Amino acid sequence: MQQSDENNRIGLLEKQVEAMLFVSPQPVSSQEIASYLGVSAARIENAVKTLRDIYAKSHGLTILFVSGGWQMATLPDLADTIEAFSNAVSMQRVRLSKAALETLSVIAYNQPVTRSEIEDIRSVRCDRVVDTLMKHGLVRISGRKKSVGSPLLFRTTDRFLEIFGLAGINSLPSLDELKDYRAEDDAFDSLERTHGSADEGDNYE
Amino acid sequence: MQQSDENNRIGLLEKQVEAMLFVSPQPVSSQEIASYLGVSAARIENAVKTLRDIYAKSHGLTILFVSGGWQMATLPDLADTIEAFSNAVSMQRVRLSKAALETLSVIAYNQPVTRSEIEDIRSVRCDRVVDTLMKHGLVRISGRKKSVGSPLLFRTTDRFLEIFGLAGINSLPSLDELKDYRAEDDAFDSLERTHGSADEGDNYE
Amino acid sequence: MTELQGLSHKNEKADRNGFEVQLGAFSGPLDLLCHLVESREMNPAELNLTELVSQYVRFLVSSKRTTLNEMAEFFSFASRLLLRKVHSLFPAQRDTADQQDLLDEDIFTDEEELRRMLEVFRPYRNGAAYMAALQRERERSFIRIADDESIPFYDLGDLYGLASLWWQLLDRYNEKRKIGDYCEESLWDDIPDAIPEERQVEERMEELLRSIRKKELGLSDLLGEKNKKMLIVTLLALLEMSRLGMVRITQSETLGDVLVAAV
């Protein structure tokens, strides 16, 4: 900050990219911006990098990389302030029961997957959970399996990536890598606390 | 900005104000921000001034003063670029709100249909949503109904068929085709079924 | 239900290190079994089904704040575990014709099978925990608030999503027409709450206790004006309170009002 203004001076390209990220309601990929501005994706990557550096230095905002694109958001440190300021931001949060997260994890790792395949793994019925996940736009039907009864196939959506802050589905560690993953003790705490207030009456499933 | 100590303290406040202005869709007054952060409005005014200076120096964004409050927006110079861009993005990668998708489903399954018929089924007003759908070229006006007030009739377009991969409007999935995942809403139903023959994976309940 | 509650009271006292169990905290039977294996530091390779089953059942019995649906699901799984064990101990019974059907439905045959199920399941359980952590982290950042009701967004082109929205709408519409005055809550209210839950009964017990602590009240006062569901819950609560000796129920004259007083 105490250095000269030159450091902070940015070019037109950066300004354009910044403004685009600001107006876009969803993540935008470098390619999308590049093809729109008629420059190479590499130049966009550079511009975003410059912007990220500037934001990292002294701003209340940050630029996330989710679902294959860039997205402007508030700093994680300011979560409490922003939450208290606006009730509307809580709309951006999705409360999922433990069963829903588990089902989502089965779908994420096996997609496309049928309901009975999910049930084989979880050994409980899943229609209600799958329904809930679809309602939240985290999961969608991606077609039918070519087998007896041609059951529906399920996949995760781009919104799933956004909600979980994943750059892409490949950013999830492999199941093998998670073999010894242990949740911190309070990982599901918030879930338990909200257990009674999920939007589904029967939030067990 | 002279004293580093003061600089830091002001830094947090600025970040908070910046993040608040960022998330808020409407202009926010200094008083409003002040009351949330528990500081004087004068301090907020100062923080906003500092932010405005930072943004004015080299950013694609700016902070406007409109209808008694502060609002973050893109630079006026970039207006043309951004307007064209946001149209392009929303056309390229159309994503609809639940309200819009619901309305689209009503039109698809009931076409041709009037707006008040749609509103009857959804029990909310939908003029704006219908406009959005028309803007995206998913829905078109197909004439007027021969009844009181001869209201407009809406239909889906060829673009709709294309995007949803439909050969014709008759290929919309029937209720039966979705039964794979739709939850049995009746709790007693599932209880009864456990006593009978358990087909599929239903024997877990 | 009262039986279960009775048991859970007993268990709470018997089990000194008694930790509270809430089935709602588990996503299903396998999740609970994983938890048992981990918390008792059992070696999954040497799973003793009998021991596991007995722990599992004890867990269920001491479980608190559980809906009947949850309980039913877990017990159904427990009974299949037990049945399995019985069959492995008495293989001769396998020949009985009507037992055959049950066996066909069963999903595991022995420890080996249960172990395999847990092994398959466990990584996803970890995956869910990992994803929960990811989500919490991501949720600390907020994006701009859209100025219309446009969250969540749906990807366009999802034909099944479109179709299912329509059929949901139609359901809602028909329901609305059926019940005349429609309100969003009432739909959900009626479905899962059809069977009174223990929790509801417990809550009602506390409410009742508060009102009768001040003064003795007539049964007609306590049962008045409420809807059908509330009526059932209130009756169950009164029965349970009477069973536990928390209230005294008297009737001073034949056909007179029944009086309820706190003990």
Side-chain angles (χ1 to χ4, degrees):
Chain A
M1 214 52 167
Q2 62 272 64
Q3 271 156 21
S4 70
D5 291 347
E6 285 153 58
N7 257 357
N8 286 344
R9 255 207 222 295
I10 57 168
L12 176 64
L13 189 66
E14 280 84 3
K15 287 185 184 179
Q16 287 176 321
V17 172
E18 184 184 26
M20 286 174 173
L21 296 184
F22 176 80
V23 294
S24 175
Q26 66 237 349
V28 208
S29 71
S30 302
Q31 288 75 16
E32 272 174 288
I33 303 175
S35 75
Y36 181 75
L37 291 178
V39 298
S40 71
R43 282 194 62 194
I44 302 298
E45 300 273 339
N46 269 332
V48 173
K49 201 181 162 299
T50 309
L51 286 169
R52 286 185 111 178
D53 288 347
I54 291 172
Y55 277 107
K57 231 179 279 168
S58 67
H59 272 278
L61 308 175
T62 180
I63 298 172
L64 306 171
F65 187 63
V66 279
S67 185
W70 307 103
Q71 185 165 42
M72 260 176 115
T74 59
L75 270 195
D77 298 352
L78 304 173
D80 295 343
T81 314
I82 299 306
E83 228 184 324
F85 168 66
S86 167
N87 293 325
V89 292
S90 63
M91 290 271 292
Q92 296 175 17
R93 295 185 164 170
V94 183
R95 279 283 142 252
L96 295 171
S97 68
K98 201 176 175 186
L101 274 167
E102 211 176 87
T103 307
L104 202 47
S105 124
V106 177
I107 296 173
Y109 280 102
N110 294 285
Q111 54 189 315
V113 64
T114 68
R115 206 188 82 196
S116 73
E117 285 162 355
I118 304 169
E119 289 175 347
D120 275 348
I121 292 173
R122 293 194 55 226
S123 89
V124 274
R125 280 187 64 179
C126 302
D127 45 358
R128 239 168 224 274
V129 211
V130 171
D131 199 28
T132 306
L133 293 173
M134 300 236 324
K135 274 184 198 151
H136 284 303
L138 299 169
V139 159
R140 67 181 181 87
I141 299 171
S142 70
R144 291 183 173 277
K145 192 172 181 172
K146 289 191 184 70
S147 70
V148 187
S150 46
L152 295 173
L153 287 165
F154 297 94
R155 270 191 180 288
T156 55
T157 59
D158 286 347
R159 181 169 151 80
F160 162 79
L161 298 175
E162 285 164 38
I163 293 293
F164 288 87
L166 289 162
I169 198 68
N170 297 332
S171 321
L172 275 176
S174 73
L175 284 180
D176 217 39
E177 287 170 285
L178 287 174
K179 217 173 198 163
D180 298 315
Y181 180 85
R182 283 295 193 91
E184 310 127 70
D185 281 344
D186 62 340
F188 286 108
D189 246 23
S190 57
L191 294 173
E192 278 163 41
R193 258 184 280 118
T194 54
H195 182 65
S197 61
D199 58 345
E200 299 297 289
D202 184 1
N203 53 350
Y204 163 64
E205 266 260 19
Chain B
M1 282 231 180
Q2 313 89 317
Q3 241 186 324
S4 67
D5 195 38
E6 190 188 17
N7 208 355
N8 281 343
R9 210 183 47 198
I10 287 172
L12 175 63
L13 189 66
E14 281 163 351
K15 284 182 188 182
Q16 289 173 323
V17 173
E18 184 183 23
M20 284 169 152
L21 294 183
F22 171 78
V23 294
S24 177
Q26 299 100 18
V28 205
S29 70
S30 303
Q31 286 76 13
E32 208 179 323
I33 303 176
S35 76
Y36 273 105
L37 295 177
V39 299
S40 71
R43 284 194 63 195
I44 300 299
E45 299 274 340
N46 267 332
V48 173
K49 201 183 162 301
T50 311
L51 283 169
R52 289 185 100 176
D53 289 347
I54 292 172
Y55 275 104
K57 232 178 277 166
S58 63
H59 271 278
L61 306 174
T62 182
I63 296 171
L64 306 172
F65 188 69
V66 268
S67 60
W70 306 104
Q71 182 166 41
M72 248 174 126
T74 57
L75 273 192
D77 303 356
L78 302 172
D80 295 344
T81 320
I82 296 310
E83 198 184 339
F85 169 76
S86 56
N87 285 338
V89 165
S90 62
M91 289 309 277
Q92 234 171 49
R93 218 166 124 172
V94 186
R95 293 171 100 184
L96 296 176
S97 67
K98 185 173 183 192
L101 202 62
E102 253 181 33
T103 306
L104 186 58
S105 83
V106 177
I107 297 174
Y109 277 88
N110 298 279
Q111 53 190 305
V113 64
T114 69
R115 215 185 68 199
S116 70
E117 285 162 353
I118 304 170
E119 287 172 351
D120 183 39
I121 291 179
R122 292 194 54 230
S123 47
V124 272
R125 291 193 58 183
C126 3
D127 36 2
R128 271 188 66 188
V129 197
V130 173
D131 283 349
T132 309
L133 294 172
M134 300 230 311
K135 202 180 81 196
H136 286 308
L138 297 163
V139 159
R140 66 184 172 84
I141 296 169
S142 72
R144 285 184 180 275
K145 190 170 181 173
K146 289 189 186 70
S147 69
V148 188
S150 43
L152 293 173
L153 285 165
F154 297 95
R155 273 191 181 285
T156 55
T157 60
D158 288 345
R159 178 172 149 82
F160 167 82
L161 294 179
E162 227 171 87
I163 286 177
F164 284 90
L166 286 164
I169 208 65
N170 299 333
S171 334
L172 281 169
S174 67
L175 185 56
D176 215 37
E177 287 176 76
L178 290 165
K179 73 171 185 318
D180 245 31
Y181 90 90
R182 295 202 76 210
E184 298 293 341
D185 279 341
D186 197 324
F188 293 104
D189 205 34
S190 59
L191 286 175
E192 271 164 35
R193 262 184 295 121
T194 39
H195 295 302
S197 68
D199 47 338
E200 315 169 64
D202 290 353
N203 50 341
Y204 302 128
E205 273 211 352
Chain C
M1 176 172 48
T2 43
E3 265 177 39
L4 287 176
Q5 251 178 347
L7 274 172
S8 76
H9 280 299
K10 232 187 288 168
N11 243 56
E12 197 181 2
K13 276 167 202 156
D15 202 285
R16 268 295 160 84
N17 49 0
F19 47 117
E20 278 210 14
V21 188
Q22 290 181 27
L23 287 186
F26 295 97
S27 70
L30 288 183
D31 187 27
L32 174 50
L33 282 173
C34 276
H35 174 81
L36 282 176
V37 169
E38 277 163 14
S39 63
R40 305 301 150 94
E41 291 177 344
M42 289 184 196
N43 181 356
E46 291 158 18
L47 262 188
N48 179 330
L49 193 57
T50 316
E51 193 189 332
L52 190 60
V53 167
S54 62
Q55 286 203 9
Y56 183 71
V57 172
R58 255 191 49 205
F59 229 82
L60 294 187
V61 166
S62 64
S63 180
K64 291 185 190 140
R65 286 151 94 20
T66 301
T67 65
L68 291 183
N69 276 347
E70 283 173 5
M71 199 59 123
E73 182 151 279
F74 280 87
F75 266 111
S76 131
F77 192 86
S79 62
R80 276 181 295 139
L81 275 176
L82 283 169
L83 186 66
R84 255 299 143 216
K85 195 64 195 171
V86 169
H87 287 311
S88 68
L89 292 173
F90 304 100
Q93 288 199 358
R94 280 165 181 268
D95 296 336
T96 328
D98 55 5
Q99 300 262 331
Q100 201 59 50
D101 291 339
L102 281 170
L103 286 176
D104 289 343
E105 277 177 27
D106 252 298
I107 32 171
F108 35 76
T109 53
D110 50 21
E111 273 93 343
E112 186 49 52
E113 190 64 14
L114 181 60
R115 195 177 304 134
R116 193 194 58 80
M117 282 176 71
L118 286 176
E119 241 166 56
V120 169
F121 170 75
R122 212 150 158 196
Y124 297 102
R125 184 173 179 260
N126 294 347
Y130 181 80
M131 279 165 44
L134 275 185
Q135 192 192 8
R136 271 192 315 176
E137 189 49 41
R138 171 62 188 85
E139 283 185 342
R140 292 175 57 78
S141 290
F142 295 99
I143 59 172
R144 284 174 69 209
I145 299 164
D147 51 2
D148 52 12
E149 45 154 338
S150 45
I151 299 169
F153 287 102
Y154 288 78
D155 290 320
L156 198 54
D158 178 0
L159 180 62
Y160 289 98
L162 181 83
S164 66
L165 268 181
W166 161 248
W167 294 111
Q168 278 167 28
L169 261 179
L170 193 64
D171 272 2
R172 241 164 55 196
Y173 180 69
N174 289 334
E175 190 72 19
K176 178 179 73 179
R177 285 181 47 176
K178 220 164 52 192
I179 58 176
D181 60 333
Y182 157 82
C183 98
E184 192 144 12
E185 259 70 51
S186 73
L187 252 184
W188 286 116
D189 256 10
D190 287 351
I191 299 155
D193 288 349
I195 307 166
E197 298 175 9
E198 256 175 85
R199 198 173 359 146
Q200 287 177 285
V201 176
E202 278 166 18
E203 277 165 14
R204 186 66 183 138
M205 280 167 67
E206 280 166 28
E207 272 173 39
L208 287 172
L209 214 52
R210 253 177 274 133
S211 37
I212 58 174
R213 204 170 271 148
K214 291 176 215 136
K215 68 174 183 106
E216 193 175 56
L217 283 174
L219 196 58
S220 49
D221 300 324
L222 296 171
L223 296 179
E225 61 89 20
K226 303 285 195 247
N227 62 29
K228 221 189 292 173
K229 201 176 69 193
M230 201 54 184
L231 197 70
I232 295 170
V233 173
T234 305
L235 281 171
L236 285 172
L238 283 172
L239 283 173
E240 179 67 2
M241 285 160 83
S242 147
R243 195 183 67 85
L244 295 172
M246 294 158 78
V247 291
R248 192 183 60 236
I249 301 178
T250 52
Q251 190 177 27
S252 52
E253 51 176 325
T254 319
L255 299 178
D257 199 6
V258 174
L259 295 172
V260 183
V263 174

